Every structure is written in structure tokens, then in C-alpha cells.
Amino acid sequence: MLRSPEMSEGLLNLYNYFRWKTALPQPLVELAILTTAREWSVQFEWFAHYPIALKAGLSPALLADLRVGKRPDGMTPEQAAVYDFSTELCRKHVISDATFQKTKSLVGEKNMVDLTSLVGTYISIGRLLNVAEVKTAAKDGPDYLPALQR
């Protein structure tokens, strides 16, 4: 990002919006970020956001399932909608009518627009981190993101 400061400024403005200004509840923001990190195997995003997600109120059990590529058990309806929306967007690059309607009814239209852009922003940040091969000190444990066997 240092190589393209003008692009980075725009991306950081989006990051700051999602960190401090979105009306999407913080636990849902963190769930979307970590779901995107898992889908795109972005170790640094997982490492950075895992403690933030815990502090925001996501359970260690939910994050443990997500970490290994399993759809988490025991999610609230809003969490399930955010998880489904985020994974569908990452995997299929579109959202089905059913997922669209469910998410809209649970989080609202503005928050759904924010969720869409949040996932896209973290895909962009994740690609930059992975292309630059940004590593973490984590080698094991819940803040380490293992490779998925698909």
C-alpha cells in the first residue's frame, strides 16, 4: 500500500468507516471480516481481527468453527445472515434472492449495503496482504488461520 498512496488513502477511508462509523453492529462487522479472511485465507486479517472479534462479543466456539471452515453452530439469526451473505458473496460473487431478502429483513437495507462493501473492502485488503506475503508470529492456536483442505 506504500507503493500506491492515493489508492491506499481511499481504502483506509473505507477501513475507518467500517471501524468507527457504520451502523452495522460491531460483532457483525467482525464476523464479516473474519468470514472473508477465512474464505480468502488471509492469515494477517485473521490474526489482527481475532482479538477484536472476541472483545466485540463473538464466542470462541463460533470463531473456532469459522477458523476451520465450518459453518458455526449457535449463531443468532443476524449472525447467520451475515455469515451466509459473506460466504455467498465470496464464493459465488453474487447473492441469491433468498439470502438478499433474509439479510435485508434482519439487518436493514443500509446495513446490507455496508456489509456488501465491507466484504469487498476486506477482500481488497486481504489480496494486498497475501500478495505482499505479510506474515504473523502465530504458528498455532486460535489466532492462527490454518490452510483449508477443500
Side-chain angles (χ1 to χ4, degrees):
M1 291 174 68
L2 295 172
R3 307 284 190 267
S4 184
E6 290 178 3
M7 179 282 302
S8 298
E9 183 179 357
L11 198 54
L12 288 173
N13 284 337
L14 280 169
Y15 167 84
N16 284 322
Y17 172 79
F18 294 120
R19 190 81 177 112
W20 310 110
K21 296 180 181 177
T22 184
L24 192 62
Q26 196 62 34
L28 300 181
V29 168
E30 294 304 323
L31 178 59
I33 291 169
L34 290 180
T35 299
T36 303
R38 172 65 285 166
E39 289 296 311
W40 287 85
S41 295
V42 185
Q43 170 60 43
F44 189 84
E45 271 178 4
W46 184 271
F47 178 79
H49 282 271
Y50 181 84
I52 298 169
L54 290 173
K55 187 174 179 182
L58 294 177
S59 75
L62 183 151
L63 297 176
D65 284 346
L66 184 61
R67 179 178 170 266
V68 296
K70 180 180 179 252
R71 187 178 195 281
D73 293 324
M75 291 186 285
T76 67
E78 293 80 9
Q79 288 171 338
V82 165
Y83 173 84
D84 292 342
F85 189 97
S86 300
T87 55
E88 196 169 310
L89 188 56
C90 286
R91 292 176 188 177
K92 298 181 179 179
H93 311 153
V94 295
I95 299 297
S96 68
D97 289 342
T99 300
F100 180 94
Q101 292 303 327
K102 179 181 175 188
T103 306
K104 181 180 170 184
S105 73
L106 288 167
V107 302
E109 191 168 32
K110 180 193 180 305
N111 283 338
M112 189 176 60
V113 170
D114 280 10
L115 176 60
T116 304
S117 187
L118 172 67
V119 171
T121 297
Y122 275 84
I123 289 170
S124 294
I125 292 170
R127 297 297 81 205
L128 289 166
L129 291 167
N130 280 354
V131 166
E133 298 180 339
V134 176
K135 306 291 183 204
T136 69
K139 300 295 180 212
D140 197 12
D143 62 345
Y144 174 75
L145 190 65
L148 280 183
Q149 305 300 318
R150 291 192 191 208

